Amino acid sequence: MGKPKLTVIDDKPALATRAAEEIVHAAGEAICTLGEFTVCLTGGTTVGDVYSLMADRFRLSVDWKAVRFFWGDERCVAPTSPDSNYQLANRTMLSKLAIKPSQIHRIRGEDPPAAAASGYENELREAFSLGADEFPRFDLVLLGVGDNAHIASLFPRHPAIHEAKRLAVAVEVDAPQRDRISLTAPVFNNAALVMLIVSGASKAQAIKKIFENPRNPDEYPAQLIDPSNGEVMWLVDKAAASLLKSS
C-alpha cells in the first residue's frame, strides 16, 4: 500500500457536503462515459448525512435513473430494522428519489448468513455479467472506518480479510449484530474510485494507525484498500485527523 492521500475538512457538516460534491462528480463522469453509475453504499451516521444531502440539495445534480445502488456490507437483520444499512440509505435517500426498484440491489440480511452471501454474490455476477474469476467494477465504493480500523464488515484478525476469490462472505464479528455479510477486499480494490469518509474524535486513533503504522491489514483492515487500477480518496474531518503528525 502506497502512502494514502487524504483531505482534512473542518467539521462533519463540511465533510458531508464535500463527500456529496465528490459523489456528484463521480456520477456525472460515469454516466457521461458509460451511460450508468454503479455505486456501492455503506452505513454509519456520517454517511447518512451525505445521503440526506444527495436527496435534497444535490437531488437535481444526478441523473438518478442511470444509477444502480449496491452495498458493501449488511447486518443480518430485517430490511426494516434501524440497524440495517439498507434501511439507513432508504430512509435518508432512496425513498426520496425517483428511482425504480430494479435499480436497488440490496443484501438480504433477513436470510441465513451463508445463503445471503451466496445470493448476493450471484446477484453481483448477474448484474455485472461476470465470468467465473471476475470481480465487479464499481464506479464508486463508499466506505466508513470503525474505531478499530475495520471497513465494511472486515474486522481485525478475521479470516475474511484474506479472502481472494469470493465476492461476498458471511462473517461473525465482535460487535453488535454479530452476524453480517461483507464484500471482500478484491471487490473493493477493483473499483474505479474508493471514497473513505471518516468523522469524529473517536476515529482519531484508528486514522493515526492506518496512516502512520507499517502495513498490517490483519490489525488495520482499512489498509487493505489499494486499488490496482483505481483511485482512493480519504475525506476526514479535523477531529478524526487530530492525532496525525502532519495535522
Side-chain angles (χ1 to χ4, degrees):
M1 177 178 175
K3 193 72 172 178
K5 299 177 182 179
L6 84 164
T7 299
V8 179
I9 298 166
D10 283 344
D11 53 29
K12 188 178 178 183
L15 175 67
T17 298
R18 174 62 181 272
E21 291 170 345
E22 295 290 351
I23 294 170
V24 167
H25 178 71
E29 282 201 339
I31 293 169
C32 180
T33 304
L34 305 170
E36 70 170 6
F37 177 55
T38 55
V39 58
C40 186
L41 304 178
T42 186
T45 57
T46 300
V47 81
D49 294 341
V50 179
Y51 296 158
S52 294
L53 285 173
M54 296 301 299
D56 183 14
R57 190 190 310 177
F58 296 94
R59 177 199 294 262
L60 300 180
S61 301
V62 175
D63 181 5
W64 294 108
K65 68 178 181 297
V67 181
R68 290 196 292 166
F69 301 91
F70 299 82
W71 275 261
D73 76 317
E74 185 57 276
R75 285 82 175 266
C76 289
V77 295
T80 54
S81 168
D83 296 318
S84 164
N85 287 340
Y86 162 77
Q87 171 61 14
L88 170 70
N90 188 56
R91 173 174 51 82
T92 57
M93 179 173 62
L94 301 179
S95 63
K96 302 176 182 180
L97 300 175
I99 59 176
K100 299 177 181 178
S102 60
Q103 294 174 244
I104 298 173
H105 302 265
R106 72 174 182 88
I107 301 171
R108 292 181 56 84
E110 67 271 33
D111 291 349
S118 177
Y120 204 56
E121 181 158 337
N122 291 337
E123 179 152 352
L124 288 171
R125 292 195 179 282
E126 181 176 350
F128 286 87
S129 301
L130 300 179
D133 298 319
E134 293 181 319
F135 293 97
R137 182 166 175 82
F138 292 108
D139 297 308
L140 173 63
V141 167
L142 299 176
L143 290 173
V145 174
D147 57 12
N148 61 356
H150 82 265
I151 51 167
S153 286
L154 300 178
F155 276 61
R157 297 174 293 283
H158 196 286
I161 289 171
H162 300 285
E163 177 58 51
K165 295 182 179 181
R166 294 284 307 279
L167 307 186
V169 291
V171 296
E172 185 176 346
V173 299
D174 186 15
Q177 294 83 48
R178 294 179 64 90
D179 291 318
R180 304 183 180 198
I181 310 303
S182 183
L183 300 190
T184 59
V187 175
F188 297 138
N189 282 328
N190 201 45
L193 173 63
V194 181
M195 185 189 304
L196 297 105
I197 307 168
V198 191
S199 71
S202 65
K203 307 295 177 67
Q205 283 285 355
I207 292 297
K208 180 177 177 65
K209 292 173 181 176
I210 293 163
F211 279 81
E212 296 182 356
N213 284 15
R215 176 176 165 79
N216 184 1
D218 274 303
E219 292 296 326
Y220 319 118
Q223 291 181 337
L224 287 166
I225 301 302
D226 188 19
S228 59
N229 186 29
E231 299 180 22
V232 180
M233 178 183 298
W234 285 81
L235 302 179
V236 181
D237 71 4
K238 284 185 175 179
S242 60
L243 298 181
L244 291 174
K245 292 177 183 177
S246 58
S247 68

